[in-house]
Amino acid sequence: MTVERRNQAVRAAVAQGLLTEEQPVTALLDVAGIRESAAALRAAFAAVTDAPVLHAFAVKATPLVPVLALLNAEGIGVEVASPGELALARAAGVRPEHTVLDSPAKTPAELREALALGIAVNADNPQELARIDALAAAGTASPIGVRVNPQIGAGSIGALSTATATSKFGVALRDEGARESVVRMFLERPWLTRLHTHSGSQGIPLARMAEGVGAVYALAEEINAAAGRQQIETVDIGGGLPVNFASEETTPTFEEYARLLKREVPGLLDGRYGLVTEFGRSLLAKHGTVLARVEYAKVSGSRPIAVTHAGVQVATRTVYDPVSWPLRIAAYDAKGRPKTGAETVQDIAGPACFAGDLLAEGRSLPLLEQGDVVAALDTGAYYFTAHYGYNSLPRPAVHGFAVSADTVEFSLVRAAQSTEEIVAEAGGDRAGALLG
């Protein structure tokens, strides 16, 4: 999202009543920015391989049906990890052949549905593969693969590091006897045609991601050699491209990563293997903004505090782990214009009833006043779409926007959650359930 587009959108959101006393927090998605990211991803891999590539968006990053439909229109499929995510993808019109199912805990019912639909399945472990053996005996159009963990180590955020020695994901490739076991899995099942790994995420450097891809490529070559034919037809390299949350710059880029893979793992991109990617955060993060009204401006211990309606419910990771997930904050006045004036060190607080509910602590910004607007930037993935119901705070409305000259048009992606809906989710129609 460019600064100019964002400023136009914020001003228009205020002018058009998207941010009100009744709805003091709302979220914006830049439609043009999302299209640009999708195009950049497609172009980056088209430049390094002539083989077919399925770019499957990780639905968990932004589980909104209109977003999935927009990406689908831009040639991007989906990677799903639950029945709910699969239902969202189907509602968005994504075809089975553009859908990949990953999860470390698939139930027999999930596997049965996936195989009946013909969507690609990556088995996480030998027990799951045994279930697939039985279910696939009746026939399926699903491409099936096995997820492996190359055990290349952690990045700077341990909770998001999926390729550690003890990761819960996939078959641990460096454990004693594991590699030989994986080769046997394939030789015993000629219909297994894919390998999958996911070594990246926020905090993982590109070089380490490429190392993980190189490990799964080497395994594919080993399996094909043992089989005496090209049994592994497609390699799913996962996603995990990190996002720069420190500035407006989009870095690293899809192009940089694709070029690195071409240099480090050239055999994977020489046309013999189809590819699947599963990028999520890197496609959407930069194109989302949370807007919140400043309800009160106060001072405590000589520190100015802007109390807003955006906190842990829309920025859970930032509130609980601000070192790993710092957010940029932009300040606007009550009319949605960029705030000016001398910068003052201040806190940006959320509405939840605990002391740590802060979007930003000790941040230098023009002094915020009651009625002003704060914008939490780079929040298009894993923020307002991963709602946390602390204090029964409602899910905010989400609006897509498009800018044309001086005109900003908004489209409602998701309506704000009503108090009636909160009560219903909390068993409101069963008030006497525990009284008997």
Side-chain angles (χ1 to χ4, degrees):
M1 184 185 304
T2 65
V3 175
E4 182 180 355
R5 277 207 303 256
R6 180 173 65 242
N7 288 345
Q8 287 181 266
V10 174
R11 188 164 60 249
V14 173
Q16 296 182 34
L18 272 57
L19 200 65
T20 64
E21 181 178 331
E22 292 74 25
Q23 293 190 21
V25 57
T26 196
L28 305 181
L29 284 169
D30 179 4
V31 174
I34 296 171
R35 292 186 189 276
E36 289 163 4
S37 282
L41 173 57
R42 294 195 315 270
F45 280 82
V48 296
T49 182
D50 294 327
V53 182
L54 170 64
H55 296 296
F57 174 68
V59 172
K60 58 185 173 288
T62 309
L64 295 170
V65 172
V67 168
L68 305 183
L70 172 62
L71 290 172
N72 186 42
E74 293 297 312
I76 307 295
V78 293
E79 180 266 337
V80 300
S82 73
E85 290 184 355
L86 177 55
L88 296 179
R90 296 185 71 187
V94 182
R95 298 200 301 273
E97 59 268 31
H98 294 161
T99 304
V100 179
L101 173 63
D102 293 320
S103 164
K106 305 180 195 72
T107 66
E110 288 177 68
L111 291 169
R112 194 174 297 113
E113 180 183 24
L115 296 176
L117 290 171
I119 69 177
V121 177
N122 288 318
D124 180 82
N125 56 72
Q127 293 174 34
E128 182 183 333
L129 192 55
R131 284 180 172 175
I132 293 174
D133 283 339
L135 293 171
T140 178
S142 293
I144 301 172
V146 174
R147 178 170 183 170
V148 296
N149 170 16
Q151 295 174 293
I152 57 173
S156 61
I157 304 176
L160 268 66
S161 298
T162 57
T164 62
T166 57
S167 171
K168 71 178 185 180
F169 295 103
V171 179
L173 204 52
R174 296 182 182 179
D175 282 12
E176 185 176 355
R179 191 181 190 93
E180 295 79 5
S181 174
V182 171
V183 174
R184 283 197 304 274
M185 288 178 194
F186 281 84
L187 297 182
E188 292 169 359
R189 298 170 177 85
W191 43 267
L192 273 182
T193 60
R194 292 188 172 194
L195 271 176
H196 170 47
T197 192
H198 176 78
S199 302
S201 204
Q202 194 68 19
I204 307 292
L206 293 192
R208 183 159 294 175
M209 291 175 60
E211 182 185 351
V213 173
V216 77
Y217 164 70
L219 179 60
E221 293 281 272
E222 181 178 342
I223 291 169
N224 287 342
R229 64 186 181 89
Q230 186 165 351
Q231 181 171 342
I232 305 297
E233 300 171 351
T234 299
V235 177
D236 183 336
I237 65 172
L241 193 72
V243 168
N244 165 34
F245 287 98
S247 74
E248 296 290 341
E249 186 180 5
T250 297
T251 181
T253 65
F254 295 122
E255 182 183 10
E256 289 171 36
Y257 183 45
R259 286 204 312 263
L260 177 64
L261 292 178
K262 184 70 171 179
R263 184 170 69 249
E264 299 296 326
V265 199
L268 180 65
L269 301 172
D270 65 9
R272 291 177 296 136
Y273 291 97
L275 290 182
V276 176
T277 73
E278 300 176 357
F279 296 105
R281 179 183 296 107
S282 50
L283 274 164
L284 264 292
K286 285 288 184 183
H287 309 305
T289 302
V290 175
L291 302 182
R293 282 164 36 105
V294 176
E295 194 66 49
Y296 300 109
K298 56 193 291 187
V299 176
S300 183
S302 301
R303 173 76 62 82
I305 303 172
V307 181
T308 80
H309 291 271
V312 71
Q313 86 279 27
V314 292
T316 312
R317 285 176 170 173
T318 292
V319 168
Y320 285 128
D321 188 4
V323 174
S324 298
W325 300 100
L327 279 179
R328 294 186 297 133
I329 304 294
Y332 295 86
D333 66 19
K335 292 187 176 180
R337 300 170 300 197
K339 185 94 173 175
T340 58
E343 294 204 343
T344 303
V345 175
Q346 56 199 297
D347 293 349
I348 314 300
C353 288
F354 69 98
D357 187 30
L358 300 170
L359 283 183
E361 187 174 6
R363 193 66 59 86
S364 292
L365 294 165
L367 186 62
L368 289 159
E369 303 169 282
Q370 187 177 36
D372 283 346
V373 175
V374 298
L377 311 182
D378 307 329
T379 49
Y382 297 106
Y383 277 91
F384 52 81
T385 58
H387 185 78
Y388 177 40
Y390 201 101
N391 282 148
S392 295
L393 292 165
R395 289 187 292 271
V398 180
H399 301 268
F401 72 86
V403 177
S404 177
D406 293 328
T407 302
V408 180
E409 293 187 4
F410 293 100
S411 55
L412 183 63
V413 171
R414 182 187 70 193
Q417 187 181 29
S418 68
T419 52
E420 291 79 11
E421 289 169 327
I422 292 173
V423 171
E425 287 187 2
D429 61 342
R430 295 176 174 84
L434 305 179
L435 300 179

